[in-house]
Amino acid sequence: MNLTSNIKNQKSILVTGKNGQLGQSLYKLVTQHSTSNIQHCFTFVGRDELDLADSSSIEAYFQDKHFDCIINCAAYTAVDKAESEPELADQINHLAVKQLAEIAKKQDSTLIHISTDYVFNGKNHKPYVESDSVDPQCVYGLTKLKGEQAIQAINPKSVIIRTSWVYSELGNNFVKTMLRLGAERDSLNVIFDQVGSPTYAGGLAQAILQVIASEAKQSFKGKSNVTIYHYSNEGVCSWYDFAKAIFALSDIKCQVSPIETKDYPTPATRPHYSLMNKAKMKNDMALEIPYWRDSLIACLNELKKNTMNHV
Ligand SMILES: NC(=O)C1=CN([C@@H]2O[C@H](COP(=O)(O)OP(=O)(O)OC[C@H]3O[C@@H](n4cnc5c(N)ncnc54)[C@H](OP(=O)(O)O)[C@@H]3O)[C@@H](O)[C@H]2O)C=CC1
Ligand SMILES: Cc1cn([C@H]2C[C@H](O)[C@@H](COP(=O)(O)OP(=O)(O)O[C@H]3O[C@@H](C)C(=O)[C@@H](O)[C@H]3O)O2)c(=O)[nH]c1=O
Ligand SMILES: [Mg+2]
């Protein structure tokens, strides 16, 4: 899928993971806005065209294509399943990312890569800054960290954006799971001792476009270090608070009880505290980030619109 505008000085930008939450949100953003705002030529690919599980597919794809910028939205995101599929998770979140970093370096292109709060161990008591030490507690987090480290070793002309608890009207996520379970059940137990901040994928997509615009202004050429940014919505909540807000705003009468992590055993260990400090991103991009509840309302409105369009 290739979207081109007529404006000069446009960059050719590849977006991987086109069918994921973030890939779809970026697509929606660049196709719904006027071309005066979006001046670049975007190519969106899914695993059919570029399979990150297969290094020869990656090599073949870039054989005859050049991009100024690669936004890697594809990832192995099944956190619990990763515990029993560590090799596949490592291939997609680490080895394929290493290969993309090498290709980007060879092509002199900027790699924008998305990472996660799960690279931290969750033992902090104040929001994580970009330079805080990492210590993932699960296979998914470890493979994402190895992807970050590979980029740092290979291509300084890269930006890593760590985000958390991503949801959207597009794709699968906690909000949609809650809406489904809330409609099926009278009551639900949800963990209240894991706190962080949800991230609306539409807002993250906008922030990524701002990073690209700032990159165009500053030129990342000659950069000696990879830039790391943290991005989520503002505010803090537990998964329990998030579930309560989802039900309250959707008029769903499902009783939610707060439970401890130990009472909801899962294969993967998740951080108890994964709030991230976003000051660097906000300062560098002159960005105002919405409060999580306001973005949740926006997402629920989008979901309502989508349902109304389908009746
Ligand atoms: N979801 C979240 O809560 C969070 C996500 N992140 C990170 O943000 C980024 C975007 O996540 P999000 O959009 O939510 O993730 P999704 O799970 O919604 O999308 C991931 C996409 O990656 C694609 N993919 C998986 N395996 C392959 C493969 N072998 N080859 C090519 N593509 C593949 C999937 O393809 P298909 O549709 O065909 O399965 C899917 O479209 C990821 O890097 C993720 O680690 C960070 C923090 C939180
Ligand atoms: C469905 C459900 C989940 N939970 C808990 C489990 C978990 O701790 C939390 C959220 O569930 P999820 O399955 O959405 O969690 P998870 O898939 O681990 O979400 C993570 O995904 C990856 C990709 C990331 O990078 C992270 O930032 C984070 O968003 O809620 C309940 O307590 N009750 C429930 O009924
Ligand atoms: Mg999940």
Side-chain angles (χ1 to χ4, degrees):
M1 199 182 307
N2 200 308
L3 306 168
T4 315
S5 78
N6 296 321
I7 296 169
K8 280 188 187 158
N9 296 327
Q10 65 179 203
K11 284 177 182 292
S12 56
I13 300 177
L14 177 71
V15 180
T16 68
K18 73 168 181 189
N19 298 313
Q21 300 189 77
L22 185 57
Q24 289 190 69
S25 299
L26 269 166
Y27 183 81
K28 190 170 172 182
L29 194 60
V30 302
T31 49
Q32 283 187 350
H33 280 66
S34 73
T35 48
S36 60
N37 287 330
I38 310 298
Q39 63 182 38
H40 305 302
C41 167
F42 282 87
T43 303
F44 289 80
V45 286
R47 74 168 84 208
D48 295 354
E49 296 117 300
L50 178 58
D51 183 0
L52 299 190
D54 175 3
S55 67
S56 59
S57 153
I58 304 174
E59 202 180 303
Y61 181 80
F62 288 97
Q63 205 85 61
D64 56 354
K65 293 175 203 71
H66 171 272
F67 298 95
D68 300 310
C69 177
I70 300 170
I71 310 176
N72 184 30
C73 299
Y76 184 108
T77 55
V79 175
D80 284 323
K81 210 169 162 203
E83 298 295 314
S84 51
E85 286 186 341
E87 286 89 9
L88 182 59
D90 189 69
Q91 166 58 37
I92 296 168
N93 291 345
H94 167 212
L95 298 178
V97 173
K98 181 170 181 236
Q99 206 178 340
L100 288 179
E102 279 158 356
I103 290 164
K105 187 174 168 71
K106 219 188 314 171
Q107 300 203 346
D108 194 27
S109 55
T110 303
L111 177 62
I112 297 182
H113 178 70
I114 317 303
S115 192
T116 173
D117 55 335
Y118 282 21
V119 298
F120 296 115
N121 65 18
K123 292 177 186 155
N124 253 28
H125 298 286
K126 64 181 172 51
Y128 283 98
V129 293
E130 289 79 357
S131 56
D132 275 339
S133 36
V134 287
D135 177 25
Q137 301 293 299
C138 62
V139 168
Y140 164 75
L142 179 64
T143 60
K144 291 294 289 184
L145 174 62
K146 285 185 174 169
E148 287 189 8
Q149 289 170 337
I151 293 173
Q152 285 171 310
I154 294 163
N155 187 6
K157 214 176 137 184
S158 308
V159 180
I160 295 169
I161 304 173
R162 292 194 190 122
T163 186
S164 59
W165 302 20
V166 176
Y167 68 94
S168 159
E169 65 277 12
L170 311 155
N172 300 314
N173 52 64
F174 184 81
V175 175
K176 285 198 178 168
T177 304
M178 286 300 119
L179 292 174
R180 180 172 47 80
L181 293 178
E184 289 167 8
R185 300 190 197 169
D186 297 330
S187 66
L188 214 52
N189 296 329
V190 182
I191 288 173
F192 81 108
D193 61 352
Q194 289 171 24
V195 297
S197 182
T199 302
Y200 180 45
L204 175 58
Q206 270 170 353
I208 291 172
L209 292 188
Q210 282 187 247
V211 169
I212 293 171
S214 104
E215 185 256 9
K217 268 187 258 151
Q218 296 167 16
S219 172
F220 277 30
K221 280 205 172 97
K223 231 164 60 87
S224 56
N225 286 310
V226 169
T227 307
I228 302 182
Y229 285 121
H230 286 175
Y231 181 93
S232 69
N233 276 115
E234 294 286 19
V236 51
C237 65
S238 67
W239 291 109
Y240 164 78
D241 298 310
F242 197 26
K244 289 284 284 183
I246 295 162
F247 292 155
L249 292 166
S250 316
D251 254 334
I252 291 176
K253 311 259 172 296
C254 176
Q255 157 123 31
V256 190
S257 303
I259 54 162
E260 290 181 48
T261 300
K262 69 172 173 49
D263 298 321
Y264 193 91
T266 54
T269 302
R270 290 160 172 83
H272 280 284
Y273 180 96
S274 67
L275 202 62
M276 295 187 292
N277 183 319
K278 300 167 285 286
K280 186 173 167 193
M281 172 72 110
K282 286 194 285 186
N283 289 337
D284 284 7
M285 303 301 145
L287 199 65
E288 266 189 47
I289 303 180
Y291 177 52
W292 67 264
R293 216 181 152 92
D294 295 331
S295 286
L296 174 60
I297 292 169
C299 174
L300 292 172
N301 284 339
E302 285 301 307
L303 273 170
K304 246 182 250 158
K305 261 198 256 166
N306 293 353
T307 343
M308 270 154 32
N309 287 342
H310 285 100
V311 286

